[in-house]
């Protein structure tokens, strides 16, 4: 593989890259896929904004002016290395990125418009002309438009192709019409066939329309988003792009998520040593103030958002804690933070609530729990269920998006089953899956077999990285 791909050059652009900045799965993907691509012989480099939280271990490379919003901003490029392998360029602006936090500022449209322009201006300055720019989620969508509309006359940018990966269609970056002016593309592109979305300028739609190839992070979600139910208003434009729309499942990094080597968990273990997994359960029960008990410990590590189906858990909490303990780690919408706080206050020795972002605690939960809950309303791919499989923690998931593709129901298919699933978004179907899991949990030999089966699954990036390389080649041969 190495020889064949030696010359393919890819710039991978993302607003989040683990471990530098992370709010969700996008960061995991951006932090792990490029490393595997590089091992497969692709000349891949990564670019992200340099937020204040990213500390100094990067070298100054160059700086240049970027005109935006009637002003000229200085963009500074610094360079680091991911996993000692992959060059990563940090796009720095004192004005836009030197702040506490990643998103949710009043000027996010300006911040990411600056980022998109800076990405393209950076390329001749660092002497790198990629064959393909791999864009991820709304923050990066307009790069594809800039290439085709604003930078088209410049020879340097000729023949650079784009792939746009949708990690979550719900977050679209829709802003007032005037934002189009930041891109010097002319008002003629503000039409429904291009960038306009119900009167707004949409970063997401722009990426979908202008990129040579579009993909999302599972085959099921790729189909779902072409329907009204899951299309978030963009189903029409996605149907139009159907021929260039692909689904590729995410993998996980075994360097990062591996119970055999993980330094964050209480004791390392593998599928031959499940007693040591149990040790992790006892320890976390103690650390989080739960009673030492043999009942199933259910884990949740998630953004506290409507997407994640937390309402089903809240609705069934009494039944759940009559049989299980629950540990929740997450931050997000105040509604869910309050709802879980009330439940925690009511049942302090049955529920542990941790409202924070804490990567170390997340791993302790993946390792110490018996089951992992993901009853999502929709789930483009989902990494929580993959990580929990890897840690021998049985996922209970709703059959949607990547969850439907990666977890097989044990009762429907005991041979291949890896977890418990339910179809319709309602609390009885959800609770039925929990009850079925608890029933099997009490048959220890069968349970351990299921745990081992999950731990033996290949969830690495290997297969999916090959599919991305095929897409890069396909993009490269686009007219
Ligand atoms: P999404 O991308 O929708 O947030 P995923 O399941 O694809 O959901 O990925 C979530 C990633 O973020 C996982 O690696 C999960 O462990 C991590 N994560 C989510 N919330 C937290 C948190 N509060 N603390 C630590 N890690 C978290």
């Amino acid at each position: 593989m190495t020889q064949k791909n030696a010359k393919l050059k890819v710039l991978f652009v993302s607003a989040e890259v683990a471990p530098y900045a992370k709010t969700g799965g996008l960061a995991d993907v951006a932090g792990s896929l490029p490393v595997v691509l590089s091992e497969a012989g692709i000349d891949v480099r990564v670019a992200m904004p340099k937020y204040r939280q990213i500390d100094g271990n990067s070298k100054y490379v160059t700086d240049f002016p970027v005109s935006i919003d009637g002003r000229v901003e200085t963009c500074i490029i610094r360079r680091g290395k991911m996993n000692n392998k992959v060059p990563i360029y940090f796009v720095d602006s004192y004005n836009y990125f030197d702040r506490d936090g990643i998103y949710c500022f009043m000027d996010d449209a300006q911040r990411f418009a600056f980022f998109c322009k800076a990405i393209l201006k950076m390329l001749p300055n660092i002497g790198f002309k990629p064959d393909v720019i791999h864009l991820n989620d709304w923050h990066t969508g307009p790069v594809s438009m800039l290439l085709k509309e604003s930078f088209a006359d410049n020879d340097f940018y000729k023949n650079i192709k784009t792939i746009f990966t949708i990690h979550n269609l719900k977050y679209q970056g829709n802003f007032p019409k005037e934002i189009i002016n930041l891109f010097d593309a002319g008002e003629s592109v503000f039409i429904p066939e291009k960038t306009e979305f119900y009167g707004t300028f949409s970063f997401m739609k722009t990426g979908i329309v202008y990129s040579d190839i579009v993909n999302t992070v599972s085959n099921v979600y790729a189909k779902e988003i072409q329907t009204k139910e899951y299309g978030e208003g963009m189903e029409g434009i996605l149907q139009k792009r159907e021929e260039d729309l692909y689904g590729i499942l995410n993998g996980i990094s075994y360097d990062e998520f591996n119970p055999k080597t993980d330094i964050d968990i209480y004791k390392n273990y593998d599928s031959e040593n499940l007693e040591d997994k149990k040790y992790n359960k006892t320890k976390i029960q103690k650390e989080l103030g739960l009673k030492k008990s043999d009942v199933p410990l259910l884990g949740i590590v998630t953004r506290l958002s409507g997407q994640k189906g937390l309402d089903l858990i809240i609705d069934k909490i009494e039944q759940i804690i009559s049989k299980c303990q629950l540990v929740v780690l997450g931050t997000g919408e105040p509604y869910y933070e309050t709802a879980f706080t009330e439940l925690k206050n009511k049942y302090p020795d049955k529920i542990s609530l941790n409202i924070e972002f804490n990567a170390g605690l997340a791993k302790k939960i993946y390792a110490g729990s018996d089951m992992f809950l993901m009853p999502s309303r929709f789930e483009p791919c989902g990494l929580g269920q993959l990580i929990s499989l890897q840690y021998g923690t049985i996922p209970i998931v709703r059959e949607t998006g990547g969850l439907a593709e990666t977890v097989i129901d044990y009762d429907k298919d005991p041979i291949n089953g890896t977890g418990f699933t339910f179809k319709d978004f309602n609390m009885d179907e959800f609770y039925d899956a929990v009850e079925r899991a608890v029933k099997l949990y009490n048959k220890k030999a069968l349970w351990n077999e299921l745990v081992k089966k999950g731990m033996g699954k290949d969830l690495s990036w290997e297969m999916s990285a090959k599919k991305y390389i095929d897409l890069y080649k396909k993009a490269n041969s686009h007219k």
Side-chain angles (χ1 to χ4, degrees), residues 22 82 159 171 201 287 357 449 473:
K22 169 167 167 176
M82 292 165 57
N159 300 323
Y171 303 100
F201 171 79
E287 181 172 331
F357 194 94
E449 238 174 69
K473 289 179 179 162

Side-chain angles (χ1 to χ4, degrees), residues 45-46 56-62 76-81 85-91 126:
R45 309 184 188 192
V46 177
N57 229 346
S58 54
K59 281 201 187 93
Y60 168 89
V61 178
T62 181
I76 303 159
I77 303 296
R78 301 175 202 278
R79 182 178 150 136
K81 254 199 176 155
K85 270 191 202 108
V86 179
I88 176 162
Y89 295 98
F90 297 105
V91 175
I126 60 170

Side-chain angles (χ1 to χ4, degrees), residues 16 106 129 165:
E16 298 181 26
M106 291 292 286
K129 180 173 177 178
T165 302

Side-chain angles (χ1 to χ4, degrees), residues 170 221 224 229-230 232 305-312 315 333 335-336 374-380 397-401 403 422-426:
K170 183 145 187 96
Y221 192 60
E224 284 175 342
E229 190 183 351
Y230 291 95
E232 306 285 349
S305 125
Q307 171 194 341
K308 299 295 179 178
L310 303 164
D311 309 86
L312 300 182
D315 286 345
E333 292 170 20
Y335 170 81
Y336 293 107
M374 273 181 97
S376 306
R377 286 177 196 275
F378 69 93
E379 196 61 71
V397 307
R398 179 159 171 259
E399 291 162 29
T400 181
L403 297 173
F422 65 101
K423 198 163 178 13
D424 289 334
F425 191 85
N426 73 60

Side-chain angles (χ1 to χ4, degrees), residues 22 24-26 28 257 301-303 307-308 329-331 356-359 362 366 374 379 382-384 387:
K22 169 167 167 176
L26 168 62
D28 289 322
F257 298 109
V301 178
T302 188
R303 290 183 293 111
Q307 171 194 341
K308 299 295 179 178
L329 170 63
T331 57
E356 58 179 319
F357 194 94
N358 184 335
Y366 286 116
M374 273 181 97
E379 196 61 71
L383 293 176
I387 302 169

Side-chain angles (χ1 to χ4, degrees), residues 118-129 151 154 156-157:
I119 286 294
L120 290 182
K121 281 204 84 173
M122 171 183 84
L123 294 172
N125 279 288
I126 60 170
F128 183 61
K129 180 173 177 178
F151 286 67
N154 185 327
F156 178 88
Y157 298 94

